Amino acid sequence: MKAARTKTPRRPKKPTNPTLKDPVGVYCRVRPLSRADQECCIEVINETTVQIHPPEGYRVFRNGEYRETQYSFKEVFGTLGVQKELFDVVAKPLVEDLIRGKNGLLFTYGVTGSGKTHTMTGSPGDGGLLPRCLDMIFNSIGPFQAKRFVFKLDDKNGVDVQSEVDALLERQRRDALPVPKTPSGKRHLDPEFADMINVQEHCKVEEVDEDNVYSVFVSYIEIYNNYIYDLLEEAPFEPIKPKPPQSKMLREDQNHNMYVTGCTEVEVKSTEEAFEVFWRGQKKRRIANTQLNRESSRSHSVFIIKLAQAPLDADGDNVLQEKEQITLSQLSLVDLAGSERTNRTKAEGNRLREAGNINQSLMTLRTCIEVLRENQLYGTNKMVPYRDSKLTHLFKNYFDGEGKVRMIVCVNPKAEDYEESLQVMRFAEMTQEVEVARPVDRPLCGLTPGRRFRNQAFREELARKLEMRGGPLGGETEEQSVAEMLLQNFPPLPSCELLDINDDQTLPKLIEALEQRQKMRQMLSEEFAKNVLAFKTMLQEFDSSVVSKEHYIQGKLSEKEKIIAGQRTELERLEKKIKTLEYKIDILEKTATIYEEDKRNLQQELESKSQKLQRQASDKRRLEARLQGMVAETTMKWEKECERRVAAKQLEMQNKLWVKDEKLKQLKAIVTEPKEKPERPSRERDREKAVQRSLSPPPVPSSSPFAQGGHSQRLASPPQGPRRSNSCSSISVASCVLEWEQKTPSHKQSTSYARTKQEPEPSRGCNSSHRRRGMCWTGVLEVPRHREELEIEEDHCCRNAPPVRLRHRRSRSAGERWVDHKPPSNVPTETVLQPHVPHAITVATASEKALAKCDKYMLTHQELASDGEIETKLIKGDVFKTRGGGQAVQFTDIETLKQESPTGRKRRSSPSQPDPLGEAADSEWTDVETRCSVAVEMRAGSALGPGYEHHAQPKRRKP
Ligand code: ADP
Ligand code: MG
C-alpha cells in the first residue's frame, strides 16, 4: 500500500545546530565465505577501502583491461573482524549519545545471508550489536536506575514521572494481576540466547550524570509488506484458529518524532530482561512467519531502546517531579530486509508481491537518500518522499536533522552475490554524502551537581558514627555471625529408635543432645534479648540523630528563609526602582510627543509663511512690471506732448511774425499810396491781390504739420464790421486786420474771437455748452445746405445774431457752388466723420478762376488746440463780384471741428480723475449707432448756429 503523498505542515523543530552537520556514517562489514572453496569477488584493501571485481563468469573487459572497482567507507571490517571491534567503533558512540539524551539510528543493509542479523543480534557466544548496546546501557546507568513505574510512557510518545510511593503502589497493583511475571535473572533465560548476552567486557559510558535517575523501555516492531506489527503485543491465546496480528499506525509526536501508535513498550531493568523481551519478539516473529508462510528475510525488524531520565531533587533523594525536566532519547536498531532484487529469489504469487513491497521500501529509502543528497549538494529544495513507505516515514526525523545515523553495509564476498553487492556498494557510497544536522546538547538541570553522592556520603557518615559509639550496628554483625555459628553447630538429634531392650547408648546420647540443645537455646534466647536491647538502643539513637538532623535542617531552613527574606526586600526595592523608571520613561515619552507636536506646528507655520513670502515677491514683481510699463507710457506721452507744444508754440510765433510782416507791408502800402486816387478799381484789385496772397500759404517747414496751417489764423480773424459789409459787398483783408487789431490787442483775444461777428457772447456760451456736448461726439457729416435750417437753429441759441445774416435768408442752396480751399499743409485727421461739400471746386490754393465760378468760399484751417489735439476750422464766406471785375470774399461763418483722444476718455472714466466736463461721464460711446443718434439729436436740439463744432472720434478705438 502506498501512502498518500501529503506534505506535513511545518512546525518548530527541536533545537538543532544548523551549522554543524555530520555525514551519515557508513561502515562496511565483509563476512567470511561459508566454504573455503567458494569464489570470492570482494577484497578488503585497507581499513577504509574494499575492492570488488567481477567473478569469473561475470568478467568484463574494457579497453582490454580487467575492471575492478574500489569503494571507500568510514571504516571497513574484514572477515577477521570481531563483534566487539564493530561495536566499539559503530555502536558505542550511539549509546553514549543515548545516555546524553540524543537520538540515534543504526541499521544494517545488505543482501540476504550477508550477515545483517549476525551483526545486529549475533550468535550464541558472540553477541551482536543489540545485546552489547543493552549491556553497555545497563552497565552505565545500573546504580542510577529509577524504581519501576517511576517513569510512565504515555500513548503519544511522551513520558511522565511519578513519586516513588505512587510507583510502589502501582507495582503492587500490577503484581496482584494474574499476568505472568516478567522473568528476571539469568537462570530464567532461554539457553538458546543465554550466551549472546554473556558479554565479558564490562563496557560502560564514563560520564553518566549521577544526579539523574534512568529508566529503559524497549519495543520491537516488524515492518512487513509495508505494514507495521508490534512484536511485543500480548495477544490472547487462541489455539484453534489464531488471529493474524493487527498492523499499527504511524504518528508524529510534539517533538516531531515518529512513533507507532499503541506499540507495547516494556520497562526493563537489566540486560537480561531487555534481551529476554527481544527474544520473545523474535520468537513471535518466527511463529508468525511460519503460520503465515512468510519469509523472515523479507521483513524489516526494528528494536527501539528508549531511555528516560530525570534529575533528582535538591537533596538527591527523590526524582524531581517536573515533567519538563524529563529527557527521552531513543536508539533504533534496524535489521533491514535483504536488498536483493525480486528476480534473484524464486518468489511466486504472494511472496512476489511481498518482495516487491520490500523492495519498494528499500527503493524509497534509496530515493530519499538520493533526494537528500541532491538537496544538500545543489541547494535545491525537493520534497523528500519519506511518506512513500512506512520504513522511511518512521525514520524521517533522523534524516531531517535529528540525531546520528549510522549504517553498516554487510556484504558476502561470494561470487554469486557480485551484482547485488555492487548495487549495495553504490547505495552505500551515495548515502555517505548525506549530511545530518548534529543535535545540540540537552540543557542541564539547574540544581547543584553531586546531590546523590553527598546524600550517600551522609548516610555512610551516620553509620560510621553509630559504629564508633559502640552501637549495636557493629556488634550485630559479629553477633549475627555467632548466632549463625550456633545455628550451624546446632547438634542434630541422634537416632531415637531403641533397637533392643539392652540398648543403653541411645537414651544417654539423646539426653546429652537435648541438654546441649537446651544450653544452646538458652544462649540463643540470651543472644536474642541482647539483640533486642541493642536494636532498641539503636532505634533510640537513630531517633535522636533524626532529631538532631531535624534541628540542623531547621537551622538551615531558617538561614535560607532569612536569605529569601533579604532577596525579597531586594526584589521589592528593584520593583520600586522599575516603577520610578517607568514613570520617568512615561514622562519623557509625553514630553517627546509635545515637542514633536510643536515641531510639526512650527514646520507648518514656516511653510505657510514661506508661501506667503513667495506670493508677495511675485506680486511685487508684477507691480514693478506694471509700473515700468506705466512709466514708459507716461514718458512717451509727455515726450509727444512736449513735441506738440513746441510745434504749437513755433506755429504761433510764426503766425505772429507773419501777421506783423503783413501789417508792416500794408502799412507800407498805405504810406506809399497817394492820398487821393480815383482809380478805385485798381485799389480794389490790389486788395484782391492781397486777399489772394493772404489765401496762398507762406512757405513753412514741412516737418511741422501745424505750422502749415498757420496762415489760416489770419483768415480766421473775422472782418470787424458787418456794417461795412452791408454797404460794401466786398471786404478788404487789411481793413479786417486793422479792425481786429483795434479790438483785440493780444493774440489770445483774437483766438478767443475766432468766430464771425454773428457769433456773440451768448452764442459763445452756447458753443461752450456744445463743446461739452461735443465731447460726446456730434456726427454731422455735411455742411448744412439749407440756410433756413441753420437760421432756425440760430433762432434757438443765437438770438442776438446781427441782422447781416438776414440778408442771406433767401434759399440759394440749390444754385450754390462752393470753393473748397484745402491747403496741402493740412493733416489728414482720419476721423470717421468728415465734412462734405457737394458741388464744390476743391483747390489747394485760392485761385481767382475758381472764385469767379462760385459764390461760396470755404477754407479748411488746422491748428493745435489747448488740449494738444488738432482743431479743424471751416471758415466760410460769400463771394462777391467787385466793381472792378474781381472777386471779394466776405467771411460769414467759422465751423470748428474737434477730435478727442480715446486715452483722454479713458482717463476721464477713471473714478480717481473726475470728468472735467461732467456730462461726458454720463455717456458711453460704444457704437456708431449710438453716436449717430446723439449727433442727430444735437443737430435737431442744439443751437449749432452758423459755427457748430464737430468732435470727431478717431477711426480706431484703443482698448
Ligand atoms: P542475513 O541476516 O543478512 O540474511 P545472517 O546474519 O542470517 O544473514 O547470516 C547468515 C549466516 O551467515 C548465519 O548463519 C551466520 O551465522 C553467518 N554469518 C554471517 N556473518 C558472519 C560473520 N561475520 N562471521 C561468521 N559467520 C557469519
Ligand atoms: Mg537476517
Side-chain angles (χ1 to χ4, degrees), residues 1-4 221-229 247-251 258-261 300 302 334 336 357-358 360-362 364-365 368 385-397:
M1 194 183 75
K2 198 172 176 177
I221 56 165
E222 181 183 35
I223 302 171
Y224 189 90
N225 207 11
N226 211 23
Y227 286 104
I228 299 172
Y229 299 101
S247 69
K248 302 283 178 189
M249 303 279 286
L250 259 184
R251 292 256 161 78
M258 299 306 297
Y259 71 97
V260 181
T261 47
H300 316 282
V302 185
V334 187
L336 289 174
N357 275 325
I358 292 151
Q360 190 58 49
S361 294
L362 290 177
T364 311
L365 177 67
C368 288
Y386 296 115
R387 286 163 179 268
D388 283 5
S389 84
K390 290 279 191 303
L391 179 77
T392 48
H393 200 186
L394 185 63
F395 300 125
K396 171 178 167 286
N397 307 94

Side-chain angles (χ1 to χ4, degrees), residues 569-587:
T569 44
E570 177 69 14
L571 248 175
E572 277 167 14
R573 194 183 63 79
L574 287 172
E575 272 173 2
K576 269 184 198 165
K577 207 174 167 183
I578 285 168
K579 268 184 192 163
T580 326
L581 287 172
E582 275 175 353
Y583 179 68
K584 274 184 187 171
I585 286 168
D586 205 34
I587 287 170

Side-chain angles (χ1 to χ4, degrees), residues 183-387:
S184 62
K186 213 175 192 175
R187 58 185 181 273
H188 301 291
L189 283 178
D190 194 326
E192 208 178 335
F193 65 85
D195 278 352
M196 284 191 191
I197 52 165
N198 193 8
V199 181
Q200 295 302 314
E201 305 89 17
H202 197 75
C203 192
K204 65 185 264 188
V205 177
E206 286 310 316
E207 288 168 2
V208 179
D209 191 348
E210 292 177 352
D211 292 324
N212 278 3
V213 283
Y214 303 84
S215 264
V216 178
F217 297 85
V218 291
S219 49
Y220 194 21
I221 56 165
E222 181 183 35
I223 302 171
Y224 189 90
N225 207 11
N226 211 23
Y227 286 104
I228 299 172
Y229 299 101
D230 180 4
L231 292 174
L232 302 181
E233 198 173 33
E234 297 286 349
F237 181 67
E238 285 174 58
I240 300 156
K241 200 187 174 206
K243 267 190 179 176
Q246 289 290 306
S247 69
K248 302 283 178 189
M249 303 279 286
L250 259 184
R251 292 256 161 78
E252 193 176 339
D253 72 0
Q254 54 187 357
N255 295 323
H256 312 286
N257 286 320
M258 299 306 297
Y259 71 97
V260 181
T261 47
C263 180
T264 314
E265 287 168 310
V266 184
E267 186 175 7
V268 286
K269 292 290 163 199
S270 66
T271 313
E272 292 78 15
E273 196 185 342
F275 201 79
E276 196 273 330
V277 173
F278 166 74
W279 204 251
R280 208 167 70 210
Q282 275 289 76
K283 253 189 190 168
K284 203 176 170 192
R285 189 181 172 196
R286 245 179 278 166
I287 293 165
N289 285 341
T290 319
Q291 279 177 350
L292 302 169
N293 197 20
R294 287 195 209 150
E295 201 177 305
S296 67
S297 67
R298 305 268 157 243
S299 69
H300 316 282
S301 73
V302 185
F303 188 75
I304 301 164
I305 307 168
K306 282 185 182 176
L307 180 71
Q309 49 187 306
L312 288 170
D313 60 10
D315 287 336
D317 282 336
N318 297 302
V319 189
L320 202 66
Q321 299 292 306
E322 285 175 25
K323 201 180 171 181
E324 299 77 46
Q325 295 290 344
I326 307 170
T327 309
L328 188 70
S329 49
Q330 71 174 51
L331 173 64
S332 301
L333 303 171
V334 187
D335 186 0
L336 289 174
S339 67
E340 63 274 359
R341 286 161 297 179
T342 321
N343 59 2
R344 186 172 169 266
T345 58
K346 289 137 196 105
E348 284 168 19
N350 267 358
R351 284 202 174 182
L352 183 70
R353 187 159 46 82
E354 288 157 14
N357 275 325
I358 292 151
N359 270 344
Q360 190 58 49
S361 294
L362 290 177
M363 278 295 286
T364 311
L365 177 67
R366 237 186 135 106
T367 317
C368 288
I369 297 279
E370 269 172 25
V371 173
L372 271 169
R373 178 173 149 270
E374 212 179 300
N375 283 350
Q376 288 172 4
L377 278 181
Y378 310 113
T380 50
N381 198 20
K382 272 193 192 170
M383 197 190 79
V384 187
Y386 296 115
R387 286 163 179 268

Side-chain angles (χ1 to χ4, degrees), residues 782-818:
E782 288 180 19
V783 173
R785 273 171 286 177
H786 305 286
R787 264 328 250 240
E788 290 80 357
E789 271 177 50
L790 292 173
E791 272 157 18
I792 292 161
E793 284 165 7
E794 202 177 311
D795 284 343
H796 273 290
C797 67
C798 310
R799 300 232 172 134
N800 302 327
V804 70
R805 297 285 297 175
L806 296 174
R807 222 165 55 91
H808 306 288
R809 186 162 288 198
R810 180 179 54 91
S811 173
R812 289 186 299 173
S813 60
E816 263 175 16
R817 278 209 83 177
W818 287 78

